[in-house]
Amino acid sequence: MRKALLSAVSLAALAAPAAAQVSDDLVKIGILNDQSGVYADFGGKYSYEAALMAVEDYGGSVLGKKVEVVTADHQNKADIASNIARQWYDTEQVDAIMELTTSSVALAVQALSQEKKKVTITTGAATTELTGKQCSPYGFHWAYDTHALAIGTGGALVEQGGDSWYFLTADYAFGYSLEENTGAVVKEKGGQVLGAVRHPLSTTDFSSFLLQAQASGAKVIGLANAGLDTQNAIKQAGEFGIVQGGQRLAALLFTLAEVHGLGVESAQGLTLTESFYWNRNEESAEFGKRFMERTGAMPNMIHAGTYSAVLSYLKAVEAAGTDETEAVSAKLHELPVEDVFAKGGKVAANGRMISDVYLLEVKKPGESDVPWDYYNVLATIPGDQAYLDPAQSGCPLVTN
């Protein structure tokens, strides 16, 4: 009888639904990015606000447990970022880290998170290495990457006759990746790369680099940088009369925040690629309005991507019935991404979230009387075309 009773209890336990389990009775998300340097407007405090919006829109809790968001400034230094991430994991019970502007930072934190078995969702960094050779079973890449930027901006300019390129490249992982990806697209479309020069992150003097690019005679000078670096390069190119002399500038990673900072007068006519534009439809405009009310700025793809990443993480926790990393990661791969940022988004085996991106052109002054309405949408690039085929990414997690 005792054996029968034990058997009955065991069967009942197996048949009963698993109780929701949340570590420390709290789901804690960290937003780690640059809040004081060249990428402060690119992501920064605005990404933190986007994360807070996502938590509020979700109801402030998941599986009956409160959701908390913390944030810190990594100063674009991989060692500082790793130390913050380690402290968050070891002593502050952070479950997942997101945003991670700056590719060297994102690679370092993703590697640490794999060791600690924690989820990262990168929205601010660009390198395809995050879902390539250095991919992680717990690492995810949202919003954009260097391949999507190369396909969008690089491909469009070659088709418009810009078939010779020279690159000004930020001297770290992001810049190398963006130069490499764009150069490959240029060559695939029949163009040529005449050379490249690398500049330090956060430099204020682009004169020698711009003179080398000007002397190359390339039809297009590709700016493989971002944030204030891109703004400063464009301003100084104007002082040298580079565009007036017949060469074109390609801002390979330029977002709404940088267009606003530079001003439409200086940015007009630039072709660029983003995966979100606030004034594209009614839903995105409503999100933009709510974001503007709390930040004083309209969201770019980093901010909207961070909103989407946080929402998707909470949905995965809900679906898994736990915040345990393996279970949540499985659900992130499984669930579709449907929100204001992405429609019909899907997460590939290498962790790349695949959704549409947009080829955009900065309007001329006076073309719009709506504040922050800076773009004409030239084309929609389907996600499957914008992003690398996971089987070609080099990620060892992908099996053919």
Side-chain angles (χ1 to χ4, degrees):
M1 183 172 292
R2 185 169 177 273
K3 287 183 179 179
L5 180 60
L6 287 172
S7 178
V9 170
S10 298
L11 288 171
L14 288 171
Q21 295 185 4
V22 173
S23 58
D24 308 300
D25 287 330
L26 179 70
V27 174
K28 202 168 185 179
I29 297 168
I31 302 298
L32 184 57
N33 58 16
D34 174 16
Q35 299 176 14
S36 56
V38 291
Y39 302 138
D41 290 341
F42 178 82
K45 62 184 179 182
Y46 302 113
S47 291
Y48 174 59
E49 288 295 330
L52 293 177
M53 282 180 68
V55 172
E56 292 165 14
D57 288 351
Y58 201 76
S61 65
V62 62
L63 300 176
K65 305 298 181 182
K66 180 184 174 183
V67 180
E68 182 181 340
V69 182
V70 296
T71 189
D73 182 356
H74 60 46
Q75 302 173 49
N76 294 311
K77 296 177 180 177
D79 57 342
I80 291 176
S82 295
N83 287 337
I84 293 170
R86 191 178 300 276
Q87 179 179 330
W88 276 357
Y89 290 148
D90 291 348
T91 67
E92 298 183 30
Q93 292 77 50
V94 168
D95 298 294
I97 296 178
M98 303 184 195
E99 219 271 39
L100 295 169
T101 300
T102 314
S103 292
S104 52
V105 163
L107 289 166
V109 174
Q110 180 170 282
L112 172 66
S113 301
Q114 181 172 354
E115 174 191 324
K116 297 285 187 178
K117 291 194 174 181
K118 298 285 188 176
V119 167
T120 57
I121 306 182
T122 299
T123 58
T127 179
T128 51
E129 282 296 291
L130 287 161
T131 51
K133 293 178 182 177
Q134 299 188 52
C135 68
S136 162
Y138 319 124
F140 301 86
H141 200 177
W142 246 245
Y144 76 108
D145 65 21
T146 52
H147 189 270
L149 299 176
I151 291 291
T153 309
L157 288 176
V158 175
E159 290 170 2
Q160 293 171 16
D163 56 5
S164 62
W165 286 62
Y166 189 94
F167 289 97
L168 262 67
T169 302
D171 193 11
Y172 73 103
F174 149 68
Y176 313 151
S177 183
L178 187 51
E179 177 190 323
E180 180 183 356
N181 278 268
T182 306
V185 170
V186 169
K187 292 172 184 176
E188 285 170 10
K189 290 184 173 290
Q192 58 181 327
V193 175
L194 302 183
V197 61
R198 292 174 175 174
H199 68 80
L201 181 67
S202 305
T203 189
T204 56
D205 184 2
F206 283 87
S207 55
S208 65
F209 310 120
L210 287 166
L211 287 171
Q212 290 180 63
Q214 189 176 38
S216 74
K219 293 179 182 178
V220 180
I221 299 173
L223 303 177
N225 49 22
L228 286 176
D229 281 345
T230 307
Q231 290 184 49
N232 287 332
I234 292 172
K235 287 177 183 177
Q236 291 173 40
E239 296 168 7
F240 284 105
I242 286 176
V243 174
Q244 295 90 325
Q247 291 173 296
R248 297 186 68 173
L249 296 177
L252 295 171
L253 176 49
F254 211 53
T255 77
L256 195 74
E258 289 74 58
V259 172
H260 184 74
L262 186 62
V264 176
E265 186 71 38
S266 298
Q268 61 180 305
L270 279 175
T271 302
L272 56 102
T273 301
E274 288 207 57
S275 51
F276 177 85
Y277 180 41
W278 74 268
N279 206 22
R280 197 175 66 84
N281 57 40
E282 290 184 9
E283 184 183 10
S284 58
E286 175 59 29
F287 176 79
K289 180 181 177 182
R290 292 199 295 126
F291 190 86
M292 169 69 85
E293 287 171 352
R294 64 192 293 159
T295 66
M298 281 295 182
N300 64 12
M301 64 180 172
I302 315 305
H303 311 136
T306 301
Y307 175 89
S308 173
V310 173
L311 269 186
S312 295
Y313 178 76
L314 296 177
K315 290 175 182 177
V317 171
E318 188 87 48
T322 178
D323 63 352
E324 190 274 324
T325 296
E326 299 275 2
V328 173
S329 297
K331 288 298 180 183
L332 279 166
H333 279 283
E334 177 185 321
L335 296 174
V337 181
E338 289 287 341
D339 52 41
V340 69
F341 175 80
K343 301 298 179 188
K346 57 187 178 182
V347 177
N350 61 347
R352 174 68 254 173
M353 198 281 279
I354 297 170
S355 62
D356 293 347
V357 301
Y358 307 101
L359 182 66
L360 307 162
E361 180 183 61
V362 179
K363 292 180 176 180
K364 296 180 177 64
E367 283 191 341
S368 174
D369 54 7
V370 179
W372 290 81
D373 179 31
Y374 297 148
Y375 292 155
N376 290 313
V377 181
L378 302 180
T380 298
I381 305 170
D384 288 334
Q385 295 178 24
Y387 295 105
L388 270 171
D389 182 336
Q392 299 175 348
S393 68
C395 172
L397 301 174
V398 178
T399 55
N400 296 326

